[in-house]
Amino acid sequence: TAFYAVIDPRAGVLVYANAGHPAPRVSAAGGDWQPVPNHAGLPLGVAPRETAYPEQTVPFGPGCRLAVATDGVIDAPNAAGEPFGLDGLDAGLGPALDPAAVM
């Protein structure tokens, strides 16, 4: 799987394409973590070379954050021996930090 992103600070956007990767999380300044709109498509190498991975865009201004986890984190077992999963990732991220609180 692959997730490719470019942050454009002048335009205030995150431009990305996703090839089968679990949806990364984004938070606005001081806001809650949300999955990026996924539109994941197939993992690289599964489909013919001509497969397109359309670019998506989400607002990404000052104070926004992006969290991308490998599938190894999501597939790793938790304390109960079950996959950590996306719910575990979300719980691990916790509340989004207020940028003023860490500066």
Side-chain angles (χ1 to χ4, degrees):
T1 66
F3 178 80
Y4 179 83
V6 175
I7 296 170
D8 183 342
R10 287 188 178 184
V13 295
L14 172 77
V15 180
Y16 65 93
N18 194 347
H21 198 75
R25 294 347 194 196
V26 66
S27 85
D32 293 330
W33 290 102
Q34 301 292 324
V36 297
N38 205 6
H39 305 286
L42 294 171
L44 297 173
V46 172
R49 263 192 230 188
E50 298 81 21
T51 300
Y53 294 92
E55 289 184 350
Q56 305 293 320
T57 303
V58 294
F60 201 85
C64 290
R65 287 166 192 76
L66 174 68
V68 182
T70 68
D71 51 1
V73 169
I74 295 165
D75 294 338
N78 62 17
E82 299 168 347
F84 192 63
L86 292 173
D87 290 338
L89 174 63
D90 291 340
L93 289 171
L97 297 174
D98 178 354
V102 294
M103 297 193 164

